[in-house]
Amino acid sequence: MQIRVLIGISAFLCSGSLVAQTITGISNPTAGAQANGIAPGSLVSIFGGSLAGSLANSSSSTLSTSLGDVSAVSFNGVNAPLVMVSDSQITAQVPWEVIPGPANVTVARGNAFSNAFSTQVNQFAPAIFSLRLGGLQAIAINGDGSLAAPQGFPGMGAHPATAGDTLTLYATGLGPVNGSLADGALPAVAGAHTWYR
């Protein structure tokens, strides 16, 4: 009787240490509202538990499809380039070749796989990156390198933009691009959209 109890406890402890990671949500990583979804080529945040054994950040401008102990994050079987992995969050790029529509996302750590999380991939899912500085402030950069915002942000050069100024905005989910880009690679020449006011 005592041997059976010890074997039962040992099996319980072993199975407990092999619990796979769990995905609970996916969104774009901007600081604003998350309702506009994800798109091919966009950055996404994957939320959950036990997603990675420890924090790891990419140290290269060309992203790899494995990072730390995370061997793969896949969208419908296509491995995604990884920016950052941690226990509760992974930041990745949706591969350009993922076709808009329903997608199953999984995280692999060695031979352990997460649940398949279902999400919708749209052709476009625009979102502007922003700062939380007493409210949301778009990351809009003036031609002189300062933040286009009311003055008064401690430690940051800032001044409002005026009519005719050129601004650089940081965004994700803008959709297809001219030509082709490799997953995880920076474009040779950064593309730009121009708006006039």
Side-chain angles (χ1 to χ4, degrees):
M1 185 70 163
Q2 187 176 16
I3 294 174
R4 288 184 186 163
V5 172
L6 291 175
I7 292 172
I9 291 172
S10 175
F12 174 78
L13 291 174
C14 288
S15 66
S17 66
L18 297 175
V19 172
Q21 54 279 14
T22 303
I23 300 174
T24 58
I26 298 175
S27 70
N28 68 59
T30 64
Q34 305 301 321
N36 52 354
I38 63 175
S42 69
L43 294 178
V44 295
S45 292
I46 301 166
F47 301 98
S50 300
L51 297 176
S54 62
L55 175 65
N57 290 293
S58 176
S59 60
S60 171
S61 60
T62 301
L63 302 175
S64 172
T65 56
S66 63
L67 184 61
D69 67 346
V70 175
S71 52
V73 171
S74 69
F75 288 77
N76 285 344
V78 181
N79 288 348
L82 303 176
V83 176
M84 180 276 300
V85 299
S86 71
D87 176 70
S88 60
Q89 181 178 342
I90 292 175
T91 303
Q93 178 194 22
V94 179
W96 286 104
E97 56 269 35
V98 172
I99 297 169
N104 285 322
V105 181
T106 59
V107 175
R109 288 174 63 190
N111 293 325
F113 292 86
S114 71
N115 56 310
F117 187 89
S118 296
T119 191
Q120 178 68 28
V121 176
N122 302 314
Q123 184 174 10
F124 304 94
I128 295 174
F129 287 92
S130 58
L131 302 169
R132 292 191 186 276
L133 300 168
L136 291 180
Q137 166 64 50
I139 300 176
I141 307 301
N142 291 306
D144 64 4
S146 66
L147 183 66
Q151 296 196 20
F153 288 112
M156 297 180 74
H159 64 81
T162 59
D165 287 352
T166 299
L167 298 176
T168 300
L169 298 171
Y170 293 87
T172 189
L174 299 180
V177 296
N178 292 334
S180 62
L181 293 174
D183 292 334
L186 293 174
V189 176
H193 294 277
T194 304
W195 289 274
Y196 299 96
R197 61 177 198 161

